[in-house]
Amino acid sequence: MDILIGITTKDSVLIATSKSVARGVSVIKTNDDKTRELTDHSLLAFSGESGDTTNFAEYIQANIRLYGTRNGFEMSNKAIASFTRNELASALRSRKPYQVNILIGGYDVKKKKATLNWIDYLAANVELPYAAHGYAQYYVLSLLDRHHDPNMTQEQGLELLKDCIKELRLRMPIDFKGVQVKVVDEAGVRKLPEDF
Amino acid sequence: MYILDDHIVCAVAGIDSDASILVNRARVFAQSYLKTYSEEIPCEILVKRLCDIKQGYTQYGGLRPFGVSFVFAGYDDLHGFQLYTSNPSGNYSGWKATSVGANGASAQTLLKQEYKEDFSLDQACELAMKVLSKTMDSATLTSEKLEFSTVGKDSASGKVYQKIWKPADIDALLKATGLGKAEEDD
C-alpha cells in the first residue's frame, strides 16, 4: 500500500513517498524515508516487499557510488535507470527475485533537463513526465493526465502534487500518514520541510 | 586498424595475433557496457579496462604479456575527441598527437615540432602523412603500405562518424601532399 509519486517540471523532479510502515494490522512507523540518494542529482524511491526494498536500494546506491569513484565522474540518469533495470531483470530470473518497484528522479546539469524513470519489479523501465506506483496510481494518474504540463514551474508542480495527496487522503481506504517530498533540481537533492 | 565501437577505433603496433585477442575483448566490453547502461562506453573506460588486462600479465610469472601497443581514437560527450596510447605494460596516456611502434620516437619529435592546436582535419591529415613519409623505412609511400582512419563529428546532424580510408582516398591524399609523387613520376 506504499505510495510513490513522481512529477517532472520544467527544471526539477518532485518525488513523494508515503511515511507509514505497516506490519499486518499495525502501523509501526510514521516517518519512514523510502528514498536513497544515488548521486548529487539523482534520487531513487522504492516500494514493495520490506527487506527487499532497502536491501536493493542500498545495493544500487553502493554500485552507483562505486562507478563514480572508479571513473571520476557520475553516471547519467539514463545509465542509472538502465543499470537498475538490468539488476532487476537478472534478479527476476533467479531463484528469489527482488519484489521492488522504483522511481528514479534525476536532473542533468549539463543538458539542464529533469528526468523521471518508472521501473517495476518485472524490470520494465520507462521514462515518463509523471508516474506513480501501487494503489496510488488509480487515484492520481487521471489527475496528472489532466493537469500536468511539461513546462510547469516547480511551484505549479508542488500545487499539483498537493492536489494528488488531497485526493489520496479522500479516497484511499487506509491512512498512509502523509507523504515526504524531495526535490531534485540544479542545486541537487533536498527534502521539503513542509507537511504534506 | 580496427573498429571497436561506433565511436572508437584503434591502430595496432606489435604482435598482430595478440592484438586481435585484445580487440575482441574490447568489442565485448563495449557491447556489454551498452547493454548494461544503454549508453556508449566512454573512451577512457574502455582503454582503462584493456590496460587492466595487459597489466595483469606483468604481475605473475609463467605467462607472456601481450606484445601490443595501441593508439585509440574516439569521441564521447564527456571529453570530446580523444587520443590515447597504451603499451604492453598496461600504462596508458592521453595525447593531442602521438605515435607508437618502429621509429615512434622520431615521429613523436616531428609531431611535437609541427603540431598546432588549431589544425583543421585536412592539415592534420597532411601532417600525419608527412611524419609517416619521414619515419617509415620504405622510400616511397603508397596506399599498400598505409592504413589511415579518422573519427569526426558531422556538424549538421551532430552524429559521430568514423572513416577507415579506402586505398583510393589514401592515394589521393598522397598526391595532394606531394609525398607519393616519386613513384608516379617513374
Side-chain angles (χ1 to χ4, degrees), chain B residues 70-88:
Chain B
F70 284 113
V71 175
F72 301 94
Y75 179 89
D76 61 47
D77 290 337
L78 230 74
H79 295 115
F81 290 108
Q82 290 154 74
L83 183 67
Y84 295 95
T85 62
S86 75
N87 63 19

Side-chain angles (χ1 to χ4, degrees), chain B residues 80-158:
Chain B
F81 290 108
Q82 290 154 74
L83 183 67
Y84 295 95
T85 62
S86 75
N87 63 19
S89 75
N91 262 321
Y92 73 91
S93 44
W95 298 85
K96 285 175 175 165
T98 190
S99 60
V100 296
N103 289 330
S106 48
Q108 191 88 346
T109 315
L110 282 170
L111 286 171
K112 196 168 181 177
Q113 282 166 3
E114 310 238 347
Y115 176 82
K116 302 272 184 323
E117 291 270 346
D118 55 355
F119 264 168
S120 69
L121 179 61
D122 290 339
Q123 287 172 309
C125 289
E126 191 180 331
L127 175 60
M129 245 356 153
K130 197 170 148 190
V131 171
L132 279 169
S133 77
K134 286 187 179 170
T135 53
M136 274 172 64
D137 296 327
S138 49
T140 49
L141 287 179
T142 67
S143 58
E144 305 221 320
K145 292 171 184 156
L146 289 173
E147 283 187 280
F148 213 89
S149 76
T150 44
V151 177
K153 200 176 177 200
D154 190 73
S155 49
S157 68

